Structures are given as C-alpha cells and as structure tokens.
Amino acid sequence: MLNIALFGPPGAGKGTQADLLIEKYNLHYISTGDLLRKEIADATKLGLQAKNIIAEGGLVSDEIIVQIIEKTINENPHTDGFLFDGFPRTYVQAYILSGLMIKLHTSLNCLISLELGEELAVQRLLERGKTSGRSDDNEEVIRNRLREYYDKTLPVLQIYKNKGIYVGIDSQNNIEQVHADVDKVLQSEVKKNLLNIIMFGLPGAGRGDQGLALAKKYGLQYISLGTLIEEEIRNETEIGLRVKQYREKGLLAPDEVFVQLIEQKLENTKGVNGFIFKGFPRTLVQSYILDGMLQQHGSGITKIIEIEVPALEAIRRLNARSKTKYAKAYDMSTENILNRMHEHEIKTIPVIEKYRLLYEIKKVDGTGTFEEVLELITNEIENR
Ligand code: AMP
C-alpha cells in the first residue's frame, strides 16, 4: 500500500494536488474537511456537532474525526493506498493515524508538507472564496483557521520529521511545478514500496511455475534469466551466441553478460508492483549485482523464498520434463542435469547463505501439489 498524508496550511493547495494524484496512483482520497462538509449537508448527528466549530474556523474534536475516518477506511478496504488531506491536524490525530495504519497492517509512507506563508494563504483563500461557496472562506474565519494551523497543527510535523518521513515542498510555485515536485516524491515511494521477490531452489523445485503464478497474482514482472537468455539466443544476438556455448554444456555464462539484460528489464518495465527473480542471482557476484541494481533503482529485496525439494525428487522431475514438450535444452542429458545440480550447490548455496545473514529467508516445502505450494508461498509473502 502507498499511504500519503498531505500537510500544509489552508490554501496551500492540498485538494488541488490530491486531485492530480488519486487517479494516477489509484489512492483512496480522505479529506476530513470534505467528509465533515458531507456530514453537515446530510444533517447527521456528527455534522450537527461539527457545524458551528467549522463555521468559526476552529478544529473539530478528535473524537468526531476518528469516527469519520474509521468509517471511510472500513468502507474502502481494497484500495492501493490512502491519501489523507487535512489529517492529522493534532498530536492525538497523529496517534490515531498510526493506530489505523497498524490495524491495516501497513504504515504511512510519507507526509508531504506543502509550505506556504500566511499572507499568501490568506490571498489564495479569499480568491477561492469568490467561487468555492464555502462559508469559512472569509477573512475573519480564514485568519482563525490559520491560527489553529500554526498553534495546533504545525507542531505535529516534528513527529514525522523525527520518523524521517517528512518531505517539505515549496507551495508558492504554480500548480504544475508543485505537482511535479509532489509526483517525484510519490514515484520514489512507489519504488521503495515495490514487492521484489527472489525465488531460490534446486532446478526442478518449481520456481518457474510458482514465480509466474505469483507474478500474475501480485502484478509483478517475472524475470527469469533463463527466459531472457532464450530470447537472446532465439534472436541470435551477440549475447545469445555467447551464452549458447556455455548453456549447452550446462554451465553458467560469465556474469557481465547478464548485467545488461537484467538492467534493461528493470529500466524498461513500468507500472508493475515489483519484480520476481528466478534463476538470478545464481552466484555471489550476481547477488552483489542485483543488490546494486535494485538500490540504483531506488528499491530493494522484499522477500526471499526458498522452495525445498529433495535432490532426488528434483532430478526425477527434470528427467520427466525432458520427455515432454516443455523440455529445456539443458534437461536433455543426465550429465547436464547433474551439472546444473552441481553448479547450484557450489555457486548458488553460498548466495543463499549470504542472504540468510541479511534477510529472513522463507523456506517452503515444494513437494506438494502446485496449488499447495503456491498457497504456502502466498502465506509467507503475506506474512500469514
Ligand atoms: P479543510 O477542508 O481541510 O480546510 O477543513 C475545513 C474545516 O473542517 C477545518 O477548518 C476544521 O474546522 C474542520 N476539520 C477538517 N479536518 C479536520 C481535522 N483533521 N481535525 C479537526 N478539524 C478538522
């Protein structure tokens, strides 16, 4: 999920910027001001309680806010994230927000503060008052709203500064410039938020089939080095021809050959929720390459799955596959199958050991049916 709070004085352009973001990032927009105005229009109990306070430019009680926010969040459980506008406005609301995020098993990615001086804010709101139809867009109430902002809301920023998730943006600029600045922040959050999975396991453990199913389920780009290479070989590219010679003997090609392939894929793939890697990294050098590439991409490894099957079972599966139309060139002889097993043992096991020190590797029993194994992996990914 991508959860963002837009912060700033009234008139800073939170609503305008929100309009430009919600569709692009498929976020559910929660403006406490809009929600309160709706309660007032519907003449609900909450609306009646809030009406006079809003008319005077004061802050509505935290009890009212928690009720309207909870209601909207509960009504929209399947969104890709929430965009909060005008919330949190008090210390108590900052805690309410943390609690709500915990309840949803997620967290606030960042708080974007649209910064604007007091006089400019007054000017903008007076201008807006000519057409907004909002009774609180008149000078006396505007000044009260700004007082409330400086007294009660601005100090809340410190919490987010301390957490390291505050981003300040100069909101004096025009709408397009501010949007470009805000969009840059969201883009980088999206990258940090990618679900990047590495699939480990013996050849024949089912990494490919499971990886493809996971890619579909979670909207990920499946990256199988083997498949990328096959395309190169089919297209008889320079890389393809080089790799072919190694490949037919069941050996690994030199690492620099792969860097370019994966880099291109990372760069050219847009609009996915993350990447799932199969058959890469296979060596320690490749693992450093992947770490570096993901970091350059503003991202990192999110989950590592190791599908476990006994070696004999893996050999039996590869042997069986060699007799079907799904046979791979390197399945075709016992010698090649054994070479691949050996390469896995001496080159890939050290990679798993390296990652074991850095991440919690999720081991999954791969001996069940396809559906059973998929469910085990899904449970691990979703931390069930
Ligand atoms: P806005 O549309 O965000 O400018 O909000 C209009 C008015 O609604 C504010 O002046 C407050 O009276 C009230 N309001 C909106 N959000 C909150 C909140 N999070 N806490 C308290 N009062 C709020």
Side-chain angles (χ1 to χ4, degrees):
M1 278 183 112
L2 180 66
N3 301 304
I4 308 287
L6 279 180
F7 200 90
K14 301 186 291 291
T16 308
Q17 293 302 326
D19 281 345
L20 299 171
L21 299 172
I22 41 187
E23 229 172 88
K24 178 165 182 190
Y25 293 95
N26 192 24
L27 301 174
H28 185 78
Y29 177 52
I30 300 188
S31 152
T32 41
D34 285 353
L35 292 174
L36 288 167
R37 281 184 286 277
K38 171 134 193 336
E39 297 284 334
I40 294 171
D42 295 347
T44 64
K45 199 170 142 222
L46 287 181
L48 292 175
Q49 288 171 359
K51 193 171 174 182
N52 290 339
I53 305 171
I54 293 183
E56 287 161 13
L59 287 188
V60 171
S61 75
D62 294 324
E63 282 77 12
I64 292 184
I65 296 298
V66 79
Q67 288 178 59
I68 58 165
I69 290 251
E70 256 209 329
K71 196 166 122 207
T72 345
I73 287 187
N74 291 340
E75 283 167 2
N76 296 282
H78 300 301
T79 171
D80 290 346
F82 292 100
L83 179 65
F84 298 98
D85 162 353
F87 173 80
R89 259 175 154 107
T90 62
Y91 270 115
V92 172
Q93 290 179 20
Y95 288 108
I96 292 170
L97 178 57
S98 302
L100 289 169
M101 293 287 104
I102 291 171
K103 200 169 149 195
L104 292 170
H105 305 290
T106 181
S107 57
L108 188 71
N109 293 76
C110 74
L111 179 134
I112 300 177
S113 173
L114 301 181
E115 285 159 4
L116 187 73
E118 182 164 349
E119 286 316 308
L120 248 162
V122 174
Q123 269 177 39
R124 282 192 188 173
L125 290 170
L126 284 175
E127 196 52 40
R128 183 176 80 180
K130 292 181 187 161
T131 53
S132 70
R134 278 178 58 168
S135 59
D136 59 350
D137 280 347
N138 68 71
E139 183 150 6
E140 191 192 336
V141 178
I142 289 170
R143 297 268 175 209
N144 280 345
R145 286 159 64 197
L146 285 163
R147 276 284 70 70
E148 291 284 65
Y149 175 76
Y150 290 113
D151 291 350
K152 296 182 186 156
T153 306
L154 198 56
V156 177
L157 267 192
Q158 197 56 43
I159 296 182
Y160 299 94
K161 285 184 178 165
N162 293 347
K163 279 190 182 169
I165 59 168
Y166 151 90
V167 184
I169 282 180
D170 184 356
S171 199
Q172 286 179 78
N173 295 322
N174 62 35
I175 293 174
E176 292 73 27
Q177 182 58 53
V178 176
H179 172 62
D181 294 343
V182 173
D183 197 51
K184 215 185 273 172
V185 178
L186 263 77
Q187 289 286 347
S188 100
E189 286 306 316
V190 166
K191 285 186 175 171
K192 275 192 227 159
N193 228 15
L194 291 178
L195 176 60
N196 294 324
I197 304 174
I198 306 183
M199 303 290 285
F200 282 121
L202 280 173
R207 296 160 304 163
D209 290 345
Q210 296 294 343
L212 282 167
L214 294 169
K216 195 159 165 223
K217 185 173 168 81
Y218 295 106
L220 310 174
Q221 172 67 50
Y222 174 73
I223 298 193
S224 153
L225 192 55
T227 310
L228 289 180
I229 291 167
E230 263 159 38
E231 275 170 26
E232 299 290 313
I233 294 178
R234 223 184 1 260
N235 297 332
E236 297 191 335
T237 64
E238 198 188 317
I239 293 184
L241 295 174
R242 269 185 81 191
V243 173
K244 202 172 166 197
Q245 299 161 358
Y246 291 92
R247 190 77 188 278
E248 283 169 353
K249 295 183 196 128
L251 297 174
L252 299 178
D255 290 312
E256 73 267 11
V257 174
F258 305 132
V259 177
Q260 216 186 341
L261 274 180
I262 306 257
E263 217 164 41
Q264 276 168 11
K265 200 76 188 165
L266 286 183
E267 270 317 302
N268 298 336
T269 308
K270 303 273 177 262
V272 293
N273 298 327
F275 295 89
I276 183 156
F277 297 92
K278 180 245 164 179
F280 185 86
R282 258 175 149 110
T283 63
L284 272 177
V285 172
Q286 287 180 12
S287 76
Y288 286 106
I289 292 170
L290 181 66
D291 295 345
M293 278 195 292
L294 286 177
Q295 196 185 43
Q296 245 177 37
H297 198 246
S299 185
I301 297 169
T302 327
K303 292 269 172 191
I304 302 184
I305 306 286
E306 185 180 7
I307 306 182
E308 292 189 303
V309 292
L312 276 179
E313 168 68 7
I315 294 171
R316 194 187 58 75
R317 288 184 187 178
L318 293 175
N319 183 47
R321 185 170 76 182
S322 74
K323 300 186 179 101
T324 69
K325 64 176 181 181
Y326 303 108
K328 301 270 163 71
Y330 45 84
D331 290 340
M332 299 314 284
S333 77
T334 312
E335 194 187 346
N336 280 356
I337 292 179
L338 290 177
N339 267 345
R340 295 218 299 144
M341 295 283 175
H342 187 60
E343 292 269 306
H344 180 270
E345 196 173 309
I346 57 170
K347 294 189 176 151
T348 311
I349 296 288
V351 179
I352 302 178
E353 293 310 323
K354 171 195 137 176
Y355 281 134
R356 208 182 299 290
L357 300 175
L358 302 170
Y359 303 93
E360 192 191 348
I361 298 185
K362 307 286 183 187
K363 287 190 177 197
V364 170
D365 176 0
T367 56
T369 63
F370 172 78
E371 285 75 22
E372 285 165 353
V373 179
L374 183 60
E375 195 185 336
L376 290 176
I377 301 177
T378 305
N379 286 346
E380 290 298 353
I381 289 175
E382 294 173 14
N383 274 336
R384 273 194 235 138

